[in-house]
Amino acid sequence: MQASQGIRRQLILPVLLSGSALLVHYSQHAINHHKVPNLSFLADRCMCMKQVHQVHAQMIVSGRIQDNYAASRIMAFCALSDEGDLNYALSLFHHTFEPNTFMWNTIIRAHALSSTPHNAILLYKQMKMEGIMPGKHTFPFLLKACTKAVALSSGQKIHAHVLQSGFEFDIHVANALLHMYACCGGLECARRLFDNILMKNVIMWTTMISGYAQNCCSESALRLFNEMVEAGVKPNEVTLCSVLSSCAKLGNLEIGEHIHAYIERERIQIGVILVTALIDMYAKNGRIEIASKLFSDMPERNSATWNALICGMAMHGHAEKALHLYSEMQKEDASLPNDITFVGVLSACCHAGLIDVGQEIFNSMYRVYGIRPKLEHYGCMVDLLGRAGRLREAEELIGRMDMRPDVVVLGALLGACKMYGNIEIAERVVKQMLELEPDNHGVYVVLSNIYAEVGKWEDVMRLRKIMKAEGLKKLPGLSLVMDMELQSYREMLQWCRSEFQGQLNEFGTDGGPAVKQFSPKYNLFKGHVTNSLGVELPPVEIKHLVAAAIALKGVGGILFIFGSSFGASLLLIYLAIATPIFHDFYNYDIEKPQFMPAFSEFVQNLALFGALIFFLGMKNSFPKKPKKKAVKTKTN
């Protein structure tokens, strides 16, 4: 019993002693055993920089400063420990005569883990210049530095040095290369390297799958996961988290459920990270009940777990549940809200229109938790204020931002201006957006629609002239929603064509349901009528204008058939007034499918115009018959 207590006291004592007491204790211990104190032994047991200074001083006093092994132990503590000092390690490194490979690797590793990873690459260049050959432990640290610095070109050069050194088959070096390429945007190089590796372990499979998942290549990640399972490689927790993340991004609930069943069937140990990935997958796919059950059954949660469920609830419109969960999170000491938490909560307030609650949460970010709002938080607040019609407050909030707003934040305000018809603020927002992205031509279209909504047709035509003169056009959307809108747009145009051909229905005082749904196109047509005739027409009178134009064409055509010059004049009036109106309305957007039919109709009208001119010209070219004078006869 006493012997065990003595051993325990000897193990605890170095931790309790500090400063010179550590050196005195081990020096006295060495004197009692008639031995010189081992400086390497002391350096390995340093707990703070004060003890390092004491050991370093003893090395200088005893003349053992050139003991590279002891110096390397001190350097390792200073460079890698949380209680160390990297600058002190660098000073010791530069004053060491002929530092060994371990010292080079230590200092390179320290810089790779620091906020200045590019210094690790510079040290490697210096190492090569001094003729020190890198070892298999050098390259993983270097590649980690390239990954952190996102230095793909430097990583490719180091890859060439790996091939020259013959370490391409080392497992750790190969995995570091895969990770570097995947994180620096070189997925194709990573995949070629992966395919050329004959003996792949689970870490390599996981690195490649994670690379696909992190670079928004979710489908490739799922396909590679299937290949991994078919190859008989059992995935680990990190692999499954990456695959579940891909399922969440793709909205692939079916595969996510299969992976969940696989986890339960194989009895894979589920930790906090894996359960968080499951919650995130279910929540983003709308299965809030299953996600909430997994959350409730967790014995331990972190901030990411709370964020996954809060953001999922906010995404699917469960604002009250998201806010309640946020209030519960505030009571937890182990899981404090972070910037992702506030994005989810503010998004929930935005969907529910909770302006006061959203402002209070936004103001508490820095006041309570010391978190400075980012662009995402400002974007949520601008959207929240904009939907409520408080455009001036939203603009002032953008003006108070610590950073320059991006097009997403400004776009939220521009959308609110369109909703409420605020031209003054919209013009200022468009100017800022064009300063950020001069090639963003969509803002012209939005501003043109705002002008059309409030009846400023001169500004509408001015913007259209600018877009045509500069060759600008809005890129078509590619989403399913845009395809549905395009289909509805085609139906609306077909409906309008039937109206112009004589099968007129009542527009109604509000323009009818189809015209109301596409009010910018309808208002543009109305604006052209106003500009052409100089008269502001209400929507109900456009019907009469169209009917009059068609009647004019019909009557003029009938009279023209019977050779009447008056009928030809009616047709000329129709071509001069009605055709530009219809043609401009058909060609509101040259990218729509109705462009060619409208062009064909325009050509027909031009042919008709030519026939009229020919008719009038031929008629005028015939010599006029002299009028017979009345002969007066004399009567006897």
Side-chain angles (χ1 to χ4, degrees):
M1 185 71 176
Q2 292 179 355
S4 62
Q5 290 178 352
I7 294 173
R8 183 183 178 187
R9 186 163 51 251
Q10 289 178 359
L11 293 174
I12 296 176
L13 190 57
V15 179
L16 299 177
L17 297 176
S18 63
S20 59
L22 178 71
L23 184 61
V24 171
H25 169 73
Y26 281 107
S27 299
Q28 186 65 36
H29 180 76
I31 292 172
N32 294 337
H33 291 79
H34 307 286
K35 293 181 180 179
V36 179
N38 192 333
L39 296 178
S40 302
F41 179 78
L42 295 176
D44 285 337
R45 281 152 182 78
C46 290
M47 304 294 294
C48 62
M49 287 303 300
K50 189 174 182 180
Q51 294 176 356
V52 170
H53 295 160
Q54 292 291 329
V55 175
H56 193 191
Q58 183 64 23
M59 291 174 60
I60 296 173
V61 171
S62 62
R64 299 175 59 186
I65 189 62
Q66 299 303 327
D67 185 354
N68 283 356
Y69 181 76
S72 64
R73 306 315 302 169
I74 296 177
M75 187 185 301
F77 175 83
C78 296
L80 304 176
S81 175
D82 294 335
E83 303 295 331
D85 185 355
L86 182 55
N87 292 327
Y88 193 88
L90 281 172
S91 178
L92 183 61
F93 175 78
H94 290 307
H95 286 86
T96 302
F97 180 71
E98 293 184 355
N100 55 28
T101 306
F102 178 82
M103 290 182 175
W104 283 100
N105 291 344
T106 301
I107 210 71
I108 289 174
R109 178 185 178 187
H111 279 293
L113 299 175
S114 70
S115 58
T116 56
H118 57 277
N119 287 339
I121 303 173
L122 296 177
L123 282 168
Y124 173 71
K125 292 181 179 179
Q126 182 181 350
M127 179 182 180
K128 293 287 290 183
M129 290 175 61
E130 294 186 9
I132 306 298
M133 293 300 297
K136 65 178 182 180
H137 299 292
T138 309
F139 291 113
F141 301 145
L142 272 175
L143 293 168
K144 184 176 291 186
C146 295
T147 302
K148 195 170 183 179
V150 197
L152 180 61
S153 60
S154 298
Q156 291 173 333
K157 295 175 183 177
I158 293 172
H159 188 184
H161 291 180
V162 169
L163 296 175
Q164 292 175 356
S165 304
F167 293 117
E168 66 272 19
F169 298 108
D170 184 82
I171 295 176
H172 302 288
V173 175
N175 187 65
L177 281 169
L178 283 175
H179 185 65
M180 184 274 299
Y181 280 120
C183 294
C184 294
L187 278 179
E188 294 181 359
C189 297
R191 187 56 192 261
R192 286 197 298 268
L193 178 63
F194 178 81
D195 292 337
N196 290 329
I197 298 175
L198 299 178
M199 302 296 294
K200 306 181 186 71
N201 57 13
V202 64
I203 298 176
M204 295 178 182
W205 285 96
T206 302
T207 301
M208 196 66 232
I209 292 173
S210 301
Y212 278 131
Q214 293 169 5
N215 286 274
C216 300
C217 300
S218 301
E219 294 182 357
S220 299
L222 293 180
R223 285 196 297 268
L224 190 60
F225 176 73
N226 291 333
E227 295 179 16
M228 177 182 180
V229 175
E230 292 175 359
V233 181
K234 187 175 181 180
N236 57 18
E237 184 178 3
V238 180
T239 315
L240 296 172
C241 288
S242 299
V243 177
L244 289 170
S245 174
S246 300
C247 294
K249 292 176 182 177
L250 287 175
N252 199 324
L253 179 62
E254 183 179 359
I255 295 180
E257 289 176 336
H258 285 313
I259 293 173
H260 191 187
Y262 173 81
I263 293 171
E264 293 180 345
R265 184 173 63 254
E266 298 295 327
R267 296 182 179 181
I268 297 175
Q269 186 177 2
I270 300 179
V272 177
I273 299 176
L274 186 55
V275 180
T276 301
L278 284 169
I279 292 174
D280 182 60
M281 186 273 298
Y282 279 116
K284 287 184 177 177
N285 282 282
R287 302 300 294 271
I288 305 298
E289 299 81 6
I290 300 177
S292 300
K293 186 178 184 304
L294 288 171
F295 180 85
S296 302
D297 294 341
M298 291 183 66
E300 181 184 358
R301 308 180 186 99
N302 56 17
S303 298
T305 310
W306 290 89
N307 294 343
L309 190 54
I310 289 174
C311 293
M313 289 178 172
M315 181 187 301
H316 293 280
H318 301 280
E320 295 182 357
K321 293 181 180 180
L323 293 174
H324 175 73
L325 198 63
Y326 170 68
S327 63
E328 293 293 325
M329 182 182 183
Q330 290 178 304
K331 301 175 184 177
E332 293 283 339
D333 296 332
S335 302
L336 294 176
N338 54 24
D339 55 341
I340 301 176
T341 311
F342 287 106
V343 170
V345 176
L346 292 174
S347 177
C349 295
C350 186
H351 288 304
L354 303 175
I355 302 176
D356 296 334
V357 177
Q359 285 183 321
E360 177 62 27
I361 293 174
F362 181 80
N363 294 331
S364 69
M365 287 181 61
Y366 185 73
R367 186 182 69 247
V368 178
Y369 299 101
I371 300 174
R372 293 190 177 276
K374 299 180 179 178
L375 286 172
E376 295 85 355
H377 308 105
Y378 282 108
C380 291
M381 283 304 302
V382 169
D383 192 18
L384 177 61
L385 294 172
R387 292 191 185 194
R390 297 160 69 167
L391 305 180
R392 191 75 61 184
E393 294 183 39
E395 188 180 22
E396 292 174 355
L397 178 63
I398 293 177
R400 295 195 304 267
M401 289 175 58
D402 298 333
M403 70 287 292
R404 189 176 186 183
D406 62 354
V407 291
V408 178
V409 177
L410 295 172
L413 181 56
L414 183 61
C417 292
K418 181 179 183 299
M419 184 185 302
Y420 289 94
N422 193 317
I423 298 177
E424 179 185 357
I425 298 178
E427 290 175 340
R428 291 196 293 267
V429 172
V430 167
K431 184 179 179 181
Q432 295 182 60
M433 294 181 72
L434 290 176
E435 289 177 357
L436 292 174
E437 294 184 358
D439 296 331
N440 189 354
H441 309 147
V443 294
Y444 284 110
V445 177
V446 177
L447 185 59
S448 174
N449 293 340
I450 297 175
Y451 283 140
E453 291 285 352
V454 298
K456 294 189 118 184
W457 307 113
E458 293 181 359
D459 292 323
V460 172
M461 302 307 296
R462 176 177 57 83
L463 283 180
R464 293 192 64 200
K465 288 179 180 178
I466 292 174
M467 295 183 68
K468 289 182 178 179
E470 297 183 6
L472 308 179
K473 62 181 180 179
K474 184 174 180 289
L475 294 176
L478 300 176
S479 64
L480 178 62
V481 176
M482 292 303 295
D483 291 339
M484 293 172 62
E485 290 182 356
L486 180 61
Q487 181 64 29
S488 301
Y489 184 31
R490 291 172 180 171
E491 293 174 359
M492 187 272 294
L493 287 174
Q494 185 64 33
W495 175 82
C496 291
R497 288 181 64 84
S498 65
E499 298 293 319
F500 299 153
Q501 292 171 1
Q503 301 175 4
L504 292 173
N505 297 322
E506 290 294 331
F507 276 89
T509 57
D510 59 349
V515 175
K516 183 190 297 182
Q517 183 179 2
F518 293 87
S519 56
K521 285 84 176 174
Y522 169 75
N523 288 334
L524 181 68
F525 173 57
K526 172 187 169 185
H528 195 109
V529 172
T530 304
N531 293 333
S532 300
L533 304 181
V535 180
E536 177 67 30
L537 296 176
V540 70
E541 295 183 11
I542 296 178
K543 170 193 70 172
H544 303 300
L545 176 66
V546 174
I550 296 176
L552 190 68
K553 183 178 181 181
V555 174
I558 293 173
L559 294 176
F560 176 69
I561 291 174
F562 288 98
S564 173
S565 300
F566 179 69
S569 301
L570 291 179
L571 289 178
L572 285 174
I573 295 173
Y574 163 78
L575 291 173
I577 298 177
T579 301
I581 297 174
F582 295 157
H583 182 254
D584 193 74
F585 179 63
Y586 274 118
N587 292 279
Y588 175 76
D589 185 357
I590 63 173
E591 294 177 358
K592 68 179 186 295
Q594 282 76 10
F595 173 73
M596 289 308 297
F599 181 76
S600 175
E601 182 178 344
F602 186 67
V603 171
Q604 293 175 11
N605 289 335
L606 287 179
L608 178 60
F609 180 77
L612 290 172
I613 297 298
F614 177 79
F615 168 77
L616 294 176
M618 291 295 294
K619 190 170 184 179
N620 293 330
S621 64
F622 291 134
K624 296 181 179 179
K625 296 180 180 180
K627 294 181 179 180
K628 295 181 179 180
K629 295 181 179 181
V631 179
K632 295 181 180 181
T633 58
K634 295 180 180 181
T635 58
N636 294 326

